[in-house]
Amino acid sequence: MLSKKIEKALNNQIVLEGTSSNYYLAMASWAESEGLNGAAEFLYAHSDEERIHMVKLMRFINDRGGKAIVPALKEPASKFKSLAEVFDIIHEHEIMVTSEINKVVDICLSEKDYTTHNFMQWYVAEQLEEESLAKHYVDKLRLIGGDKGGMYLFDRELSTAKMQQGNQHGK
Ligand code: FEO
């Protein structure tokens, strides 16, 4: 059985994962409208992943006798200056999500809830991957700068990255 404190922390995390899914969805839609089709593919797929992260938390809470709450949708930003700006936002956002996950892990330890602590390790590992991927793209975009040819190749690389991401997660 989950303590109320853990249930609240996990429900907060649900809000964050749902918000992330929505952010990525807005970015995907922006990229698509800008003709950045590879980036759009990548971002749509990532939005789906974030939704999976959210549902995984919901099912864990309900499974352990708690009550998962579906968060309300807030309209995310829909205009971006460039793909570089998009990936800067993603990188900063994922760093924030990591720190929130670490807080949940801390609460698990203080509450001596080792089952939830164990469950959260999946998120810890996932964040490491996501942060390093976002940083990788931020660095690449910095190198590309205003080079249109470089941007074309980068966009193409992102559509392949989307496929690799899918394979990694067994899709
Ligand atoms: Fe589910 Fe990007 O954190």
Side-chain angles (χ1 to χ4, degrees):
M1 188 78 182
L2 287 175
S3 73
K4 282 290 156 204
K5 202 169 168 186
I6 299 272
E7 184 178 340
K8 187 165 178 276
L10 294 177
N11 266 310
N12 284 342
Q13 195 56 39
I14 284 178
V15 175
L16 265 185
E17 303 290 348
T19 304
S20 302
S21 177
N22 233 16
Y23 275 0
Y24 284 113
L25 194 59
M27 289 165 174
S29 178
W30 171 83
E32 193 169 42
S33 70
E34 293 287 316
L36 294 161
N37 295 333
E41 285 296 327
F42 176 84
L43 293 162
Y44 276 125
H46 207 95
S47 170
D48 288 346
E49 294 241 337
E50 297 294 357
R51 187 178 179 280
I52 290 169
H53 299 174
M54 176 178 74
V55 174
K56 193 177 168 84
L57 280 156
M58 295 177 74
R59 302 200 69 166
F60 179 82
I61 294 173
N62 291 334
D63 222 33
R64 296 207 48 220
K67 195 167 179 347
I69 296 163
V70 178
L73 292 178
K74 270 198 218 136
E75 187 177 328
S78 57
K79 283 195 190 119
F80 304 94
K81 285 201 286 281
S82 62
L83 203 53
E85 186 192 41
V86 164
F87 274 94
D88 279 342
I89 294 172
I90 289 176
H91 188 219
E92 274 169 34
H93 178 75
E94 291 301 343
I95 289 172
M96 183 274 286
V97 172
T98 301
S99 97
E100 291 303 308
I101 283 173
N102 287 342
K103 283 184 201 161
V104 179
V105 172
D106 273 349
I107 296 170
C108 291
L109 288 178
S110 69
E111 293 279 292
K112 295 189 165 41
D113 182 343
Y114 302 114
T115 309
T116 307
H117 181 272
N118 189 44
F119 168 75
M120 288 305 295
Q121 295 313 302
W122 184 89
Y123 288 85
V124 170
E126 179 69 19
Q127 280 312 117
L128 191 65
E129 217 179 89
E130 288 198 4
E131 261 192 53
S132 89
L133 189 68
K135 169 85 169 56
H136 171 74
Y137 289 140
V138 164
D139 291 345
K140 269 203 161 174
L141 282 160
R142 202 143 285 149
L143 275 175
I144 291 166
D147 175 11
K148 288 213 164 89
M151 187 57 81
Y152 174 79
L153 290 175
F154 180 76
D155 187 55
R156 241 185 25 188
E157 184 190 319
L158 278 180
S159 65
T160 323
K162 180 238 156 186
M163 278 164 12
Q164 280 165 355
Q165 194 180 43
N167 289 341
Q168 261 173 27
H169 290 83
K171 283 181 250 155

